[in-house]
Amino acid sequence: MQKHVIDPKSVPGWGIDADPENDPTYPMKPHRTDLEEQGYNWERPTQQPIDVEILHSNERPNVTAVFGTASPPQGLSGIIRRWAFRWSENEYNHWLPLILADRVNVVEGVLEDLAHGKFPNIWKEKGYNASWKHDRTSLILRLSAFTAVTAGLVLWLTSGDDDKGSRKKKKNKKKARYYDENEYYADDRYYDENQY
Amino acid sequence: MLAMDYRGPKRVRVTQKPMPEIKHPEDAIVRVTRSCICGSDLHLYNGNVPDTRVGTTFGHEFVGEVVEIGSEVTKLKVGDHVIVPFNISCGKCHFCKQGLYGNCHESNPMATAVGAIYGYSHTAGGFHGGQAEYVRVPYANLNPTVIPPGMDLDDAVLLTDVVPTGYQAAEMAGIQPGNTVVVFGAGPVGIMAAKSAWLFGAGRVIVLDKEDYRLEFVRNYAPCEAYNFEKDMQDPVLFIKKITDWMGADCVIDAVGAEASGDVMQTITGRKLLLQAGSATAIHWAINSVKKGGIVSVVGVYGPTDNLVPIGNVLNKGLTIRGNQTAVKRHLPRLIEHVMNGVIKPKEIITHRIPLEDIADGYRMFSDKLDNCIKPVLMMPTAR
């Protein structure tokens, strides 16, 4: 595509307020050249050896000259991240799976700890020592609420099995009747087709 | 070495990790002597930033001593004590040449909408951060700046992010002499933004927050008018209009970002359910309380893309409304001068010193605003 070049000096009023002293809020370059419109025109720094898996945004053609190697993708979360990076940063398909992968990664982290014989010290990792020291009432309230909800859930799931079972049976019975009726009609048709 | 270790939302600990290595000829390894927990770290801590992987070390505010350099490092030597800007920038790309060091194109392969930042998720490059005894510092010829003789390390560490970000917030607000400036948020950056607004000639500075202890602090430090938006008013926008002769402020600074309180719906959809890129309360208030033709400056951090508008990208890409990740390197010479002359006294905002080993308690205190915490500094075992 050919560039449509306009001589800025031909624009009425051009540069009348272009005094950087007047507007220190935008970092100004002394000149803007045509070359700089052509993409990667700068002398690129030495490329860091790519010896770990790097997922790079598909909004750029390459891996940057340097990059972090903190936690390369792995496991199920890694699979989700690889899929997410097929989409551009403009897409929910990029960001939402990454958030999902983060949550999966948390579970993987706990499993990894357990696999290494380490049981995570949740109280300490959540900094509850500080809350206990400076905000005890709120911590007790929060933990009580959490305990009550969890206990309620456990009780609900473990109690009333007979009732739940009977409801299930009734549902199945109803479903069975429906299928019986279908079979009945299907059988009718079968016989009709043979007859004629 | 000991390093902070992210295990999931609101779960961090300190573990032994391998020493960082030189991976690029322009790398340096720095022994951390001061490191901070930043308000921006809380977005990671709360699990709000996508691609925050378990096992990474946070921390983008740190100073330290150079202990090893790569083969192409010529401007630093082992033993130098350096301020390390939170941005990782090459100095050669299109954006660095413009002074947009927060938008470097040669540091973060994972995203184009944000530059690389130490310990700030893989969305910001996947680098380990400085909440550790040692850290890898890329592009050591450009970013680290030797701490001038006589400068206190507590002052120096705040020059890596908090002070320049507050300063750039005021700069981007385009303050003209006599202007009325409103700052939303009296956290460390909001405090510095209020302070800096005066340096640009503001005629009146107003700060809003919901924590009385922070308001008291900023009143004394900045100094400025400071109001509690939960106690002193029903509607912050209406309040600002009333106290600015029904015109609105000339300039408004959003120094809050995704963790904003003050609106139930935003809290539920943005902070709790993550259905958008954080709570957009502060930016709404900023846009609505500035006067017609006024300027909104955004340094509050929002998540990427999944918002009603991609406001996080407005910040990270430096688009209009004037937001950006701060180009620390660009401001350092001027700010070092201000600190050395006593115009700005950054270390006065430090309220807590926390051993690295107790980092989980530090995050909890800062996150829940316990014990009147304004700015916590981490003390490294190797630097005590």
Side-chain angles (χ1 to χ4, degrees), chain B residues 35-372:
Chain B
S35 185
C36 296
I37 303 175
C38 178
S40 306
D41 287 329
L42 300 182
H43 307 309
L44 301 171
Y45 178 68
N46 290 326
N48 289 351
V49 179
D51 218 359
T52 303
R53 301 181 193 171
V54 166
T56 53
T57 297
F58 298 171
H60 55 271
E61 295 179 350
F62 60 92
V63 294
E65 187 183 339
V66 177
V67 293
E68 191 182 349
I69 53 173
S71 58
E72 290 180 16
V73 176
T74 55
K75 297 190 176 168
L76 278 187
K77 59 182 188 305
V78 171
D80 282 346
H81 211 140
V82 288
I83 296 168
V84 183
F86 76 85
N87 329 101
I88 301 171
S89 34
C90 71
K92 292 180 178 172
C93 73
H94 182 82
F95 305 102
C96 284
K97 281 180 182 166
Q98 273 185 277
L100 294 166
Y101 297 109
N103 307 97
C104 176
H105 213 57
E106 288 289 4
S107 308
N108 176 14
M110 284 84 169
T112 58
V114 58
I117 302 171
Y118 293 96
Y120 210 76
S121 84
H122 281 66
T123 295
F127 293 88
H128 279 308
Q131 290 169 5
E133 291 183 291
Y134 294 88
V135 63
R136 172 196 168 206
V137 172
Y139 297 129
N141 283 328
L142 180 82
N143 298 300
T145 301
V146 176
I147 299 173
M151 179 179 276
D152 193 312
L153 290 185
D154 287 345
D155 283 327
V157 74
L158 296 174
L159 287 175
T160 60
D161 181 353
V162 174
V163 181
T165 300
Y167 187 80
Q168 183 165 315
E171 187 199 52
M172 289 190 300
I175 298 164
Q176 300 296 310
N179 275 173
T180 295
V181 181
V182 168
V183 181
F184 285 110
V189 169
I191 291 167
M192 284 301 166
K195 180 86 175 171
S196 301
W198 295 114
L199 304 184
F200 286 94
R204 189 180 178 193
V205 179
I206 301 162
V207 178
L208 268 68
D209 198 284
K210 67 165 189 160
E211 300 292 339
D212 283 332
Y213 78 92
R214 289 185 166 194
L215 293 167
E216 185 62 30
F217 188 94
V218 74
R219 254 184 227 118
N220 295 323
Y221 185 86
C224 58
E225 297 169 50
Y227 301 99
N228 188 320
F229 66 77
E230 283 189 342
K231 295 177 182 170
D232 299 338
M233 61 199 77
Q234 280 197 325
D235 180 343
V237 172
L238 184 60
F239 179 81
I240 297 293
K241 292 279 170 66
K242 275 183 184 173
I243 65 169
T244 54
D245 295 331
W246 300 99
M247 296 287 281
D250 298 296
C251 319
V252 177
I253 295 169
D254 169 4
V256 181
E259 240 81 44
S261 305
D263 184 290
V264 175
M265 193 56 75
Q266 290 284 350
T267 300
I268 293 170
T269 58
R271 292 171 61 195
K272 303 297 179 190
L273 300 177
L274 298 181
L275 293 175
Q276 54 173 333
S279 158
T281 306
I283 188 66
H284 275 249
W285 287 355
I287 290 167
N288 292 333
S289 59
V290 77
K291 75 174 186 185
K292 294 173 191 170
I295 298 174
V296 174
S297 166
V298 185
V299 288
V301 176
Y302 292 87
T305 298
D306 49 324
N307 205 331
L308 296 177
V309 289
I311 193 71
N313 290 0
V314 172
L315 163 68
N316 288 323
K317 295 174 74 171
L319 306 183
T320 51
I321 307 187
R322 297 190 170 173
N324 207 348
Q325 295 287 359
T326 304
V328 177
K329 185 74 185 173
R330 185 164 67 85
H331 297 295
L332 272 182
R334 185 76 176 141
L335 292 175
I336 286 174
E337 196 179 303
H338 282 333
V339 172
M340 297 307 280
N341 292 336
V343 174
I344 302 174
K345 296 173 181 169
K347 69 180 177 188
E348 289 183 1
I349 70 166
I350 294 173
T351 52
H352 289 72
R353 290 172 192 283
I354 296 162
L356 179 65
E357 296 89 326
D358 296 336
I359 195 164
D361 292 346
Y363 267 95
R364 176 64 68 177
M365 286 178 70
F366 193 38
S367 171
D368 288 357
K369 302 177 181 69
L370 305 179
D371 197 30
N372 291 349

Side-chain angles (χ1 to χ4, degrees), chain A residues 22-27 29 36 40 42-49 54-57 59-60 63-73 81 85 89-90 92 95-96 98-99 102-103 105-106 109-110 112-113 118 120 122 124-131 134-135 142, chain B residues 7-13 23-26 45 47 49-56 72 90 92-94 97-98 100 105-113 122-123 125-128 136 138-139 171-172 174 176 274 304-307 322 330 360-361 364-365 368 370-371:
Chain A
N22 235 358
D23 182 5
T25 63
Y26 190 80
K29 277 203 319 177
E36 285 170 346
Y40 285 77
W42 59 88
E43 185 192 339
R44 297 195 66 205
T46 310
Q47 177 67 52
Q48 176 180 338
I54 295 298
L55 301 172
H56 78 84
S57 165
E59 291 187 28
R60 56 175 301 127
V63 172
T64 50
V66 305
F67 50 83
T69 54
S71 301
R81 292 190 209 285
F85 270 83
E89 295 162 60
N90 187 46
Y92 287 99
W95 298 112
L96 296 184
L98 285 178
I99 292 175
D102 289 347
R103 301 299 174 260
N105 200 193
V106 172
V110 174
E112 188 189 1
D113 275 346
K118 181 181 172 66
I122 300 293
K124 192 173 181 192
E125 289 176 1
K126 282 187 163 288
Y128 283 150
N129 285 333
S131 296
H134 299 291
D135 192 23
R142 266 186 289 167
Chain B
R7 304 310 298 174
K10 292 185 186 291
R11 269 186 60 215
V12 299
R13 68 187 181 210
K23 292 181 182 293
H24 183 269
E26 286 184 67
Y45 178 68
V49 179
D51 218 359
T52 303
R53 301 181 193 171
V54 166
T56 53
E72 290 180 16
C90 71
K92 292 180 178 172
C93 73
H94 182 82
K97 281 180 182 166
Q98 273 185 277
L100 294 166
H105 213 57
E106 288 289 4
S107 308
N108 176 14
M110 284 84 169
T112 58
H122 281 66
T123 295
F127 293 88
H128 279 308
R136 172 196 168 206
Y139 297 129
E171 187 199 52
M172 289 190 300
Q176 300 296 310
L274 298 181
T305 298
D306 49 324
N307 205 331
R322 297 190 170 173
R330 185 164 67 85
D361 292 346
R364 176 64 68 177
M365 286 178 70
D368 288 357
L370 305 179
D371 197 30

